[in-house]
Amino acid sequence: MLGSYLDRLRETAPLVHCITNYVTANDVANLLLACGASPILSDEPSDAAEVTACTRGLCLNLGTMKSWSVDSMLAAGEEAARLGHPILLDPVGVGASSLRRTAAGLLLDRLPVACIRGNLSEIAVLAGLDVESRGVDTGRGGQSTETVCTLARELAKARGCVVALTGQTDVVTDGDRTYLIGNGCPEMGRVTGAGCQLSALAAAFLAASPGASLEAAAAAVCAMGLAGEIALARQAPGDGNATLRCRIIDAVYHMDGHTLNKGARYEIR
């Protein structure tokens, strides 16, 4: 059951290095604390590798690219690879600019990424499809679930990693086995950085269970979606997306393996 991966995360309390989107860095850090992990954030190239050496997992997020971002990510990633620690890549807005496409390609070519977490347009770009992207666009563009599954599986096989494609139905696959996940709610799309938080959460799950990347990533996706459902159910008249953001973090804070097992909705193909 996927709940055991959350219990293991809380037991091991891994320190996770996030080179992430500064728009959502505070929420990312708080979500990691809520799940039982510990965050550390450094995007200084001369600091990144040394910081990574103290941690058990690495989350690389392209959300707010800067001139030195790739150097920092490569330095951190190479150190994580040396130590055998899992690396998660969140290719935020990869279709929006050549800088992002080049950076994502370089990171995937140079680093043993354990998991790629992105939306449909981002995963499609990484798979080499010519798609239109509106930055962090999360639209499915009318694609069938089977088409989306095929896309995720092909990228997972090509890159030798787990792909977590999030959308109306989330798809988590290693190219052979695939989890189709039904947790979550549309209102999460009105919370800035819900995807960034999920990526950090998945990095923590991977750090706690490095030998089970597929199941750990699926557990993280279920947990985040379930947290959104719980948060929405607790909204009161007059509450908006700012309150929902806080309630999502609170829901993760109070979640345990039993709650996740009870609320997770998925099938395996």
Side-chain angles (χ1 to χ4, degrees):
M1 300 289 280
L2 295 181
S4 64
Y5 294 93
L6 176 55
D7 290 337
R8 188 176 305 162
L9 169 56
R10 293 198 180 280
E11 290 167 4
T12 57
L15 179 62
V16 179
H17 183 194
C18 299
I19 301 179
T20 191
N21 186 340
Y22 63 69
V23 175
T24 61
N26 184 65
D27 289 341
V28 164
N30 278 313
L31 192 85
L32 285 173
L33 291 171
C35 75
S38 295
I40 187 167
L41 289 76
S42 173
D43 64 355
E44 166 56 45
S46 62
D47 187 52
E50 192 171 354
V51 167
T52 298
C54 304
T55 68
R56 292 179 55 187
L58 177 64
C59 179
L60 303 178
N61 181 307
L62 304 185
T64 46
M65 290 290 293
K66 297 174 285 293
S67 59
W68 62 87
S69 295
V70 175
D71 290 340
S72 299
M73 291 180 180
L74 284 174
E78 288 167 358
E79 182 63 12
R82 185 184 73 81
L83 295 169
H85 294 168
I87 303 168
L88 181 142
L89 176 65
D90 185 342
V92 177
V94 67
S97 71
S98 58
L99 172 65
R100 292 169 188 269
R101 288 190 294 274
T102 300
L106 183 62
L107 293 169
L108 287 169
D109 288 342
R110 293 270 297 272
L111 302 177
V113 171
C115 180
I116 303 169
R117 204 295 305 169
N119 62 44
L120 175 60
S121 61
E122 292 160 351
I123 298 303
V125 169
L126 294 185
L129 300 184
D130 185 14
V131 298
E132 230 178 88
S133 174
R134 295 185 293 118
V136 293
D137 176 36
T138 58
R140 279 194 172 275
Q143 300 295 324
S144 69
T145 299
E146 191 53 47
T147 298
V148 174
C149 284
T150 299
L151 176 65
R153 289 189 190 111
E154 289 178 352
L155 180 59
K157 288 179 180 178
R159 289 297 182 176
C161 69
V162 171
V163 170
L165 193 164
T166 52
Q168 184 177 348
T169 299
D170 301 320
V171 177
V172 182
T173 182
D174 61 3
D176 294 317
R177 288 194 302 143
T178 300
Y179 283 78
L180 296 182
I181 298 170
N183 290 108
C185 56
E187 288 79 3
M188 295 177 76
R190 295 184 177 273
V191 175
T192 298
C196 298
Q197 293 175 65
L198 169 55
S199 291
L201 183 66
F205 270 84
L206 291 169
S209 300
S213 295
L214 176 63
E215 292 78 9
V221 172
C222 285
M224 189 67 183
L226 179 59
E229 295 171 11
I230 293 170
L232 183 63
R234 292 175 177 167
Q235 290 283 84
D239 288 346
N241 63 337
T243 304
L244 184 64
R245 179 196 65 173
C246 294
R247 292 192 189 281
I248 289 171
I249 296 173
D250 287 345
V252 171
Y253 182 87
H254 290 288
M255 192 179 298
D256 59 16
H258 174 74
T259 304
L260 181 54
N261 282 336
K262 186 177 179 181
R265 299 194 306 278
Y266 62 91
E267 63 175 286
I268 305 173
R269 293 186 180 179

